[in-house]
Amino acid sequence: MQTGLVYLRPSRLVYVRVTGAYENSIPAAWDKMLAWIDRNGISSPLGRGFGLARDNPQSVPANQCRYDACIVVEPHFEDRAMRELGILMLPGGPYVRRREVGNYNVIMTRVAGLHASFEAPTGLRLDDNRPLVTIYLDDPRRFEPGELRADMCVPVSAGAARGRGATSQAAA
């Protein structure tokens, strides 16, 4: 498992939002996104998928946690996406990244616990103004489940690290 600090550039994304406990909302959001992709005949490899966990389940009731399943806006489907889905900007900035390899279903279950288990490196703290971002690097329809790679990215900013389990809500 590789860990390090990365800077994510702001990117324009198409998204599907599902609200609820992350254990349920994450797979539901991706089911909806993949169904939309299939319905619209987007058959080329997806490239990266971005999962945005917008709320800290320690401070927001599980049934109100927001999760966005996202893909990069491409010119050939931008008009359809704007009519049927939402468009947002991936919040850029520094993130602590941890590379995971394995079944996406297992990786997705780790998102709910990241707020509680994250320990910021010295001089950094969890930035509650940006969502946790999971970058799904491989199309699950084209790779074996055990070979799938994802980067789990926790937003950080300069400052003293706060105690575990801080309870601020991420910005929308």
Side-chain angles (χ1 to χ4, degrees):
M1 172 175 30
Q2 301 171 339
T3 302
L5 189 64
V6 296
Y7 186 89
L8 297 181
R9 292 178 303 166
S11 301
R12 197 159 175 240
L13 304 173
V14 173
Y15 76 99
V16 171
R17 177 170 292 166
V18 175
T19 302
Y22 288 136
E23 295 81 10
N24 301 319
S25 63
I26 294 173
W30 283 108
D31 287 347
K32 288 181 179 187
M33 177 59 80
L34 292 173
W36 182 85
I37 289 168
D38 290 341
R39 238 184 359 265
N40 285 282
I42 301 169
S43 60
S44 63
L46 284 180
R48 295 180 176 184
F50 297 84
L52 281 58
R54 294 203 166 269
D55 300 295
N56 182 341
Q58 294 179 306
S59 62
V60 174
N63 66 343
Q64 294 178 15
C65 288
R66 298 164 296 154
Y67 182 84
D68 300 334
C70 312
I71 58 173
V72 173
V73 175
E74 296 290 342
H76 65 280
F77 66 78
E78 183 172 3
D79 288 340
R80 284 178 280 175
M82 288 175 63
R83 286 190 306 269
E84 299 172 24
L85 305 174
I87 305 260
L88 60 76
M89 287 298 289
L90 172 70
Y95 290 78
V96 171
R97 181 201 71 174
R98 184 175 72 208
R99 171 74 46 94
E100 301 278 346
V101 178
N103 189 315
Y104 281 165
N105 292 331
V106 174
I107 292 170
M108 288 176 188
T109 63
R110 296 184 184 134
V111 170
L114 273 178
H115 281 97
S117 65
F118 178 71
E119 293 185 27
T122 303
L124 298 175
R125 64 175 179 80
L126 175 68
D127 182 350
D128 286 323
N129 295 315
R130 292 181 286 142
L132 299 178
V133 178
T134 304
I135 304 171
Y136 299 96
L137 301 169
D138 302 310
D139 185 338
R141 300 173 298 180
R142 291 177 166 64
F143 287 83
E144 292 297 318
E147 299 174 359
L148 297 169
R149 298 168 302 144
D151 287 342
M152 299 183 83
C153 301
V154 179
V156 292
S157 59
R162 294 177 300 157
R164 293 175 88 176
T167 57
S168 296
Q169 178 178 338

